[in-house]
Amino acid sequence: MTHLVAEPGLVAEAEQTEAQPRGRGYASYVTLKVLGAIGSLFFMLVVNFLLFRVLPGDPARTLGRGRLTSQAQVDAFNKTYGLNEPLPQQFLTFLKNIVHGDLGISLQYRLPVSQLIMDRMWPTILLVGTSTILSTVIGVYLGIKGAWNRGGMFDKISTSSSLTLYSMPEWWLGLLLIAGLGVGFWFVPGIFPTGGLHSPDVDPNSLHGVLDTMWHLVLPVTTLTLAYLAEYSLIMRSSLLDELGEDYLQTARAKGLRDVRVRNHHAVRNALLPTTTLIAINIGFVVSGAITVETVFSIPGLGLLSTDAIGVPDFWVLQGTFLVASAGVILANLVANLIYGWLDPRVRT
């Protein structure tokens, strides 16, 4: 019988040929996801532009809420904010201003909207970022431990607690924490501040001010963390339970690997893939939850800025905050899709 032996050079060339499509596959996957994100961003800009301009009636009178009584005031308002131009021209002007970072002038504060957003962005980033990290770490840990000890006491308590927290609105949970840990009840005194980002007599740029800010953020961060760790815990538990029945785990155990190594290096790594996508998708919900939490705790972030703008109404502030929040969600989803495609090559097809 004749045995065919491949030459080393041909083997190396074949391996290189197989590796190239994989690289091109991920590159095309990245390109498609980036183009999809750009398309989503453009669609969001169109919606953002038309959101208040398609309302029936005169936009100037709608935005002025009856304060513009004479026609001269209406004409001056339209000329100042470009509302007397055709919609296509207004949209081109809107895109041009977005590129230059010009989001208009606030009707309430008489300041550039971009300046207001930059001033209010960091409290929201601090609140949302901290709660997202804590809820992810704690929720994933609870899901892993509950699934690995399925049916045990810890699994029953964590699952029932997660379901209870998952059903609570953020603002309701925040009010409960304020009543229990801020105001106090019965003989238990209030421990944490009930509102604000820092005390009025403290310099926020000093070390004492940083510690004071952290103390003020305990209740709002705890509110968002408890509200969203439940979902991460339930999804991680479900994903890990699906992985526990796979054959490769039995093979890993047959090789003599310890249960801890089988869990951490095999089962958990595959079960993390759905959770990775969920984290990015949930950023939009966390931002919307931050609006109510910032309102309940009077935190001067983008959420409270949006709430105040609705009451005026301050159209350009609403337009700017919607733009920033939507762009952040689109960017987070893009990053999650790229990470998911890198971790699991099957999604590239």
Side-chain angles (χ1 to χ4, degrees):
M1 182 179 293
T2 302
H3 296 279
L4 298 177
V5 180
E7 298 180 5
L10 296 177
V11 174
E13 184 178 355
E15 292 177 352
Q16 184 178 3
T17 304
E18 291 179 358
Q20 286 178 355
R22 293 179 183 177
R24 287 197 301 267
Y26 186 65
S28 61
Y29 174 80
V30 171
T31 303
L32 289 176
K33 292 302 179 183
V34 171
L35 291 177
I38 294 174
S40 299
L41 183 62
F42 181 78
F43 178 76
M44 180 270 298
L45 289 174
V46 174
V47 173
N48 194 12
F49 171 77
L50 296 176
L51 192 59
F52 290 94
R53 289 176 171 86
V54 297
L55 295 176
D58 190 353
R61 296 190 184 277
T62 302
L63 297 175
R65 209 180 252 190
R67 289 189 292 269
L68 306 177
T69 55
S70 65
Q71 186 61 39
Q73 291 176 322
V74 173
D75 294 338
F77 187 91
N78 288 331
K79 183 177 181 180
T80 301
Y81 295 100
L83 297 177
N84 57 342
E85 300 175 350
L87 277 180
Q89 182 62 37
Q90 290 186 41
F91 184 65
L92 292 177
T93 304
F94 170 74
L95 294 180
K96 179 182 177 182
N97 293 337
I98 292 296
V99 172
H100 291 87
D102 183 9
L103 301 179
I105 304 296
S106 169
L107 300 175
Q108 180 180 7
Y109 299 97
R110 301 298 180 182
L111 293 173
V113 175
S114 57
Q115 178 182 340
L116 286 173
I117 291 177
M118 290 300 298
D119 293 339
R120 300 292 190 95
M121 182 180 296
W122 296 113
T124 300
I125 292 177
L126 186 61
L127 174 62
V128 172
T130 305
S131 58
T132 300
I133 293 174
L134 290 176
S135 61
T136 302
V137 173
I138 299 173
V140 168
Y141 171 76
L142 293 177
I144 292 173
K145 190 169 182 180
W148 200 255
N149 302 280
R150 182 181 183 182
M153 184 60 66
F154 181 87
D155 182 35
K156 294 178 180 178
I157 294 176
S158 63
T159 302
S160 58
S161 301
S162 297
L163 290 173
T164 302
L165 292 173
Y166 185 66
S167 62
M168 284 188 178
E170 299 89 351
W171 60 270
W172 173 250
L173 185 58
L175 291 176
L176 290 179
L177 292 179
I178 288 177
L181 300 177
V183 178
F185 61 98
W186 292 335
F187 59 90
V188 179
I191 303 175
F192 298 100
T194 58
L197 190 60
H198 50 76
S199 301
D201 57 343
V202 174
D203 181 12
N205 297 320
S206 63
L207 177 60
H208 180 61
V210 172
L211 296 176
D212 183 70
T213 300
M214 295 173 60
W215 188 246
H216 278 73
L217 284 175
V218 169
L219 289 185
V221 167
T222 302
T223 300
L224 282 180
T225 300
L226 292 177
Y228 289 98
L229 72 83
E231 187 172 6
Y232 299 142
S233 173
L234 295 173
I235 294 298
M236 187 64 200
R237 179 181 181 275
S238 177
S239 300
L240 188 54
L241 286 177
D242 291 339
E243 294 295 329
L244 292 181
E246 297 295 332
D247 294 335
Y248 71 91
L249 294 183
Q250 303 299 330
T251 304
R253 290 191 180 95
K255 292 180 179 179
L257 296 179
R258 295 182 302 169
D259 273 358
V260 175
R261 184 172 180 83
V262 172
R263 180 187 65 188
N264 296 337
H265 291 269
H266 296 279
V268 170
R269 295 177 69 175
N270 290 327
L272 275 173
L273 294 177
T275 309
T276 302
T277 305
L278 180 66
I279 293 170
I281 294 176
N282 262 0
I283 289 180
F285 295 100
V286 176
V287 171
S288 63
I291 295 177
T292 58
V293 170
E294 286 182 5
T295 303
V296 169
F297 289 95
S298 300
I299 297 177
L302 293 178
L304 187 59
L305 181 64
S306 302
T307 303
D308 293 340
I310 292 175
V312 173
D314 201 335
F315 164 67
W316 281 266
V317 171
L318 290 173
Q319 185 174 258
T321 53
F322 178 79
L323 172 65
V324 171
S326 301
V329 173
I330 293 173
L331 179 61
N333 280 273
L334 174 62
V335 172
N337 285 326
L338 298 183
I339 294 176
Y340 200 102
W342 179 67
L343 293 175
D344 189 357
R346 294 173 297 177
V347 303
R348 306 176 196 170
T349 57

